[in-house]
């Protein structure tokens, strides 16, 4: 159960990060968001 | 192209694509560590079982592990050999593989469990930039072995608690109800608290719990294996950083202390310096403590050898560091250690000349002397192998239980001279005969 709550939290953060990636105006902020996508995605898929 | 990049949405899509590409490459890399390297058991293997036979909920999970049985057919005791408790301690893993691929029993039987915590083999130590693999040359070509982490992968068990309390502290009433013998000479549930990450360290969660976390269930299954198979002597292989005091040592449950001490003397005859520590009664969750408390019939010991790749003082991790045990930073620390002790000894001598008592004559930074050229994995593995053989000899000498006979294991000097790889099997054929013909 606690694992599923954790997965939902990670999924929510991933959604917010991708949302920001498209909403940010400055390229440097978009690059930062793209970098954050990588670990969140790996975590969500149970890779690392 | 540049015009397209000025559009915010196109830019975001390109960056997202790049992020997905990096994630894909990382995925392939991380997942490659989930592929198990093949092991080639000795021809005297009689049976392979899974640990889940002793705790069915483990079946089908990544932590279910193979148990290799070598039964001589002659009545006698049972020897349990465990590697991979901490998969970032390569000589421990290699020593158990060495036995798996070379052992022949003449009395009683042996159970070899080379990958105790398979969940630790699936990833490397977090933020340590460790290598995923190391290679050992064999007559059949190079063999790769995974270099994992001391804890179960967080993919399998997460999140960690802020503070970890061993299952004894939480389920004591239940444990005592099921196994009243565990109260004999025991300090009770204990209130030991550990860092949250230790909830995934199988060597802190014994005796485990049947409905606990997956690591606690793994520990419970191992304790059930020891109980149900009536193991007499259990050996658990480890390695430690050179600045860690528990090094080149046999840590023994108090019931196994006599066997360990006699083995220490026998090892002195092999020119192997080792000492015996008795397992601390208040340090809960470790194999040498909990296996002995859970089953009054078993004599559990834990062996430690020095490994610079685990140390806090090491330089960049390389394969040479893991295999050759050589590290320039540690060689420098050894130099500082030698100079420091020389100065302290000189100061003590001057104080004594003036009739005063010196406060200290030496101070330890390292608990193991790092020789020039390092401590090779062959030496560390050979130490574990020879110590196990002497423990069996000591166990038989003292008639500590039904006799255990192990044949076909080369002596320490031979392993060091020829290298561990010389005695490992390959897919194409048998290893060279390495037996010294000596029975223990």
């Amino acid at each position: 159960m606690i694992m599923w709550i954790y997965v939902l939290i990670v999924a929510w953060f991933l959604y917010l990060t991708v949302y920001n990636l498209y909403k940010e105006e400055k390229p440097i902020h978009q690059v930062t968001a793209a970098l954050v996508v990588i670990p969140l995605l790996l975590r969500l898929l149970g890779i690392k | 192209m540049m015009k397209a990049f000025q559009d915010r949405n196109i830019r975001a899509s390109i960056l997202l694509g790049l992020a997905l590409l990096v994630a894909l490459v990382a995925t392939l890399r991380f997942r490659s560590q989930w592929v198990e390297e093949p092991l080639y058991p000795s021809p005297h293997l009689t049976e392979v079982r899974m640990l889940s036979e002793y705790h069915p909920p483990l079946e089908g999970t990544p932590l279910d592990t193979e148990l290799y049985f070598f039964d001589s057919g002659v009545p006698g005791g049972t020897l349990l050999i465990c590697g991979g408790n901490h998969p970032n301690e390569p000589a421990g893993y290699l020593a158990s593989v060495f036995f798996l691929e070379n052992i022949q029993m003449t009395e009683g039987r042996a159970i070899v469990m080379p990958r105790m915590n398979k969940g630790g083999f699936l990833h490397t130590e977090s933020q340590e930039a460790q290598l995923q693999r190391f290679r050992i040359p064999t007559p059949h070509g190079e063999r790769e072995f995974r270099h994992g982490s001391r804890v179960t992968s967080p993919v399998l068990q997460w999140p960690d608690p802020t503070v970890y309390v061993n299952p004894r502290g939480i389920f004591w009433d239940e444990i005592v109800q099921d196994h009243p013998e565990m109260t004999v000479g025991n300090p009770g549930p204990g209130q030991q608290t550990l860092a949250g990450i230790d909830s995934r360290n199988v060597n802190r969660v014994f005796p485990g719990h049947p409905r606990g976390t997956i690591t606690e269930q793994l520990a419970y299954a191992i304790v059930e294996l020891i109980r149900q198979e009536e193991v007499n002597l259990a050996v658990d292989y480890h390695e430690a950083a050179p600045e860690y005091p528990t090094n080149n040592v046999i840590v023994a449950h108090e019931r196994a202390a006599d066997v360990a001490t006699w083995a220490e003397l026998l090892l002195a005859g092999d020119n192997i310096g080792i000492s015996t520590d008795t397992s601390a009664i208040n340090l809960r969750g470790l194999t040498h403590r909990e296996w002995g408390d859970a089953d009054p019939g078993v004599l559990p010991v834990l062996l430690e050898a020095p490994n610079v790749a685990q140390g806090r003082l090491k330089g960049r991790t390389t394969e040479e560091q893991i295999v050759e045990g050589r590290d320039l930073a540690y060689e420098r620390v050894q130099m500082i250690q030698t100079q420091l002790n020389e100065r302290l000894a000189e100061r003590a001598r001057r104080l004594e000349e003036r009739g005063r008592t010196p406060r200290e004559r030496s101070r330890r930074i390292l608990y193991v002397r790092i020789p020039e050229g390092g401590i090779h994995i062959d030496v560390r593995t050979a130490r574990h192998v020879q110590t196990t053989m002497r423990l069996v000899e000591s166990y038989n000498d003292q008639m500590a239980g039904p006799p255990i006979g192990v044949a076909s294991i080369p002596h320490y000097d031979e392993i060091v001279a020829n290298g561990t790889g010389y005695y490992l099997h390959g897919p194409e054929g048998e290893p060279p005969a390495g037996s010294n013909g000596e029975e223990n």
Side-chain angles (χ1 to χ4, degrees), chain B residues 133-156:
Chain B
R133 288 175 190 80
F134 62 94
R135 287 167 297 171
I136 298 290
T138 78
H140 318 282
E142 278 184 338
R143 274 180 64 177
E144 275 194 349
F145 295 92
R146 282 174 298 165
H147 186 259
S149 159
R150 72 190 269 115
V151 293
T152 305
S153 169
V155 169
L156 305 175

Side-chain angles (χ1 to χ4, degrees), chain B residues 202-261:
Chain B
V202 71
N203 208 31
R204 295 295 180 279
V205 311
F206 286 106
H209 193 272
R211 293 182 304 285
T213 63
I214 194 162
T215 310
E216 285 172 345
Q217 292 197 36
L218 169 71
Y220 176 79
I222 294 166
V223 169
E224 280 302 301
L225 159 77
I226 290 168
R227 282 181 180 139
Q228 291 178 31
E229 296 299 335
E230 296 177 359
V231 172
N232 299 98
L233 180 62
V235 190
D236 178 25
Y237 298 131
H238 288 259
E239 288 195 284
E243 65 270 24
Y244 183 58
T246 309
N247 232 315
N248 282 341
V249 76
I250 307 170
V251 188
H253 190 272
E254 56 270 14
R255 279 201 317 276
D258 288 348
V259 168
T261 311

Side-chain angles (χ1 to χ4, degrees), chain B residues 6-26:
Chain B
Q6 278 168 2
D7 182 283
R8 188 182 63 187
N9 286 342
I10 293 175
R11 204 166 54 220
S13 298
I14 291 168
L15 288 169
L16 186 61
L18 284 173
L20 291 176
L21 187 68
V22 172
L24 178 69
V25 172

Side-chain angles (χ1 to χ4, degrees), chain B residues 23-42:
Chain B
L24 178 69
V25 172
T27 299
L28 294 174
R29 178 108 186 174
F30 291 140
R31 276 285 158 172
S32 71
Q33 211 171 340
W34 287 61
V35 180
E36 290 186 349
E37 60 277 19
L39 302 177
Y40 308 101
S42 125

Side-chain angles (χ1 to χ4, degrees), chain B residues 69 74-82 105 107-111 222-236 252-257 259-260 287-288 291-293 295-301 391-392 394-396 399-405:
Chain B
F69 285 69
V74 180
T78 300
L79 168 68
L80 175 65
I81 293 173
C82 300
M105 299 302 288
E107 252 181 322
R109 60 181 182 156
I111 305 169
I222 294 166
V223 169
E224 280 302 301
L225 159 77
I226 290 168
R227 282 181 180 139
Q228 291 178 31
E229 296 299 335
E230 296 177 359
V231 172
N232 299 98
L233 180 62
V235 190
D236 178 25
H253 190 272
E254 56 270 14
R255 279 201 317 276
V259 168
T287 52
H288 51 78
W291 289 359
D293 285 356
D295 182 356
V298 68
L299 304 179
V301 294
L391 280 164
V392 171
S394 168
Y395 166 93
N396 288 331
M399 292 185 278
I404 297 171

